Amino acid sequence: GQNIDQPTEMTATEGAIVQINCTYQTSGFNGLFWYQQHAGEAPTFLSYNVLDGLEEKGRFSSFLSRSKGYSYLLLKELQMKDSASYLCAVSGYSTLTFGKGTMLLVSP
Amino acid sequence: EAGVVQSPRYKIIEKKQPVAFWCNPISGHNTLYWYLQNLGQGPELLIRYENEEAVDDSQLPKDRFSAERLKGVDSTLKIQPAELGDSAVYLCASSHDRGSYEQYFGPGTRLTVT
């Protein structure tokens, strides 16, 4: 089975940097995803990691350590519009299993 | 390119009534997923289709839920009869194939059972 843990809530200030952690235990691993979901909207794809290391995409970066079952999403230069839920999801043999999401609140 | 289309966006029904949700995936996407998302939770897979074949329906409560994707394109998810605990958002997603690393989600149908 799959077990994915991430913090329930985080708060940060506009312009700051925040790191959202995700730990996982899976019976199969084909990659780790981060999705962003604004309230009342569908999840949208942010990043995908299949090899160890850091993937950078603009203000967002994602890191993976397969040996530690650990990933993080790094958000730089936070903006108010970054207030959303961030979902960590692990791809197993055939399905994508989501964590419960981390609600990030960015304040002025 | 049009995204994943779902309808209706909102549905309110009384318990024990039937309800159906419709999804049209992105053109050319062979894999279609139905997820259930409760408030404050991540999406949970209900069923996955590869073309018209349901290849993973282990999490679908088959006593009341059913789904079909007859021509391998659009899909319908049905609940009969609905229960209070079925109130949730039902998300449809599609990907090019099972090996595709990105799923595209529709806006979802918010179901309220009273």
Side-chain angles (χ1 to χ4, degrees):
Chain A
Q2 320 272 52
N3 186 42
I4 301 171
D5 289 314
Q6 50 181 130
T8 304
E9 291 182 353
M10 297 184 71
T11 59
T13 305
E14 196 174 13
I17 299 173
V18 70
Q19 178 175 311
I20 303 174
N21 296 324
C22 171
T23 58
Y24 63 90
Q25 296 172 316
T26 63
S27 56
F29 183 83
N30 288 325
L32 187 140
F33 300 77
W34 285 95
Y35 279 79
Q36 180 190 60
Q37 187 175 26
H38 286 98
E41 298 182 12
T44 55
F45 171 82
L46 286 178
S47 69
Y48 170 67
N49 294 70
V50 65
L51 300 176
D52 290 353
L54 188 68
E55 295 281 342
E56 297 186 78
K57 187 187 295 185
R59 294 189 299 114
F60 293 2
S61 303
S62 57
F63 171 83
L64 175 67
S65 170
R66 290 173 295 171
S67 62
K68 296 181 179 179
Y70 169 69
S71 173
Y72 68 73
L73 180 69
L74 191 71
L75 294 78
K76 303 175 184 177
E77 302 170 16
L78 282 173
Q79 302 175 10
M80 298 296 290
K81 67 178 182 179
D82 296 330
S83 293
S85 180
Y86 291 85
L87 299 163
C88 173
V90 174
S91 176
Y93 290 122
S94 61
T95 61
L96 195 62
T97 302
F98 286 84
K100 294 183 178 181
T102 297
M103 181 64 66
L104 174 66
L105 177 63
V106 180
S107 58
Chain B
E1 176 185 278
V4 177
V5 179
Q6 289 188 248
S7 68
R9 290 294 312 277
Y10 304 91
K11 189 73 177 180
I12 301 173
I13 60 171
E14 294 183 347
K15 62 182 180 181
K16 301 184 181 179
Q17 294 301 306
V19 66
F21 314 124
W22 177 80
C23 172
N24 192 31
I26 292 173
S27 178
H29 281 195
N30 301 322
T31 306
L32 184 146
Y33 313 77
W34 282 104
Y35 289 90
L36 177 154
Q37 186 173 27
N38 287 303
L39 188 64
Q41 304 290 316
E44 300 172 28
L45 182 69
L46 290 173
I47 189 168
R48 175 171 65 91
Y49 281 93
E50 299 290 342
N51 298 302
E52 66 275 9
E53 182 182 0
V55 295
D56 185 355
D57 62 356
S58 57
Q59 301 303 311
L60 190 72
K62 298 180 183 63
D63 57 335
R64 298 183 300 107
F65 285 64
S66 64
E68 60 183 16
R69 192 186 185 198
L70 295 176
K71 297 182 179 179
V73 181
D74 57 345
S75 175
T76 303
L77 178 68
K78 298 178 181 178
I79 308 175
Q80 182 171 7
E83 297 179 352
L84 294 176
D86 297 331
S87 295
V89 176
Y90 292 82
L91 294 165
C92 179
S94 70
S95 62
H96 189 266
D97 53 43
R98 186 168 66 89
S100 176
Y101 67 86
E102 183 174 350
Q103 294 183 22
Y104 295 82
F105 284 82
T109 297
R110 181 176 295 278
L111 173 68
T112 302
V113 183
T114 63

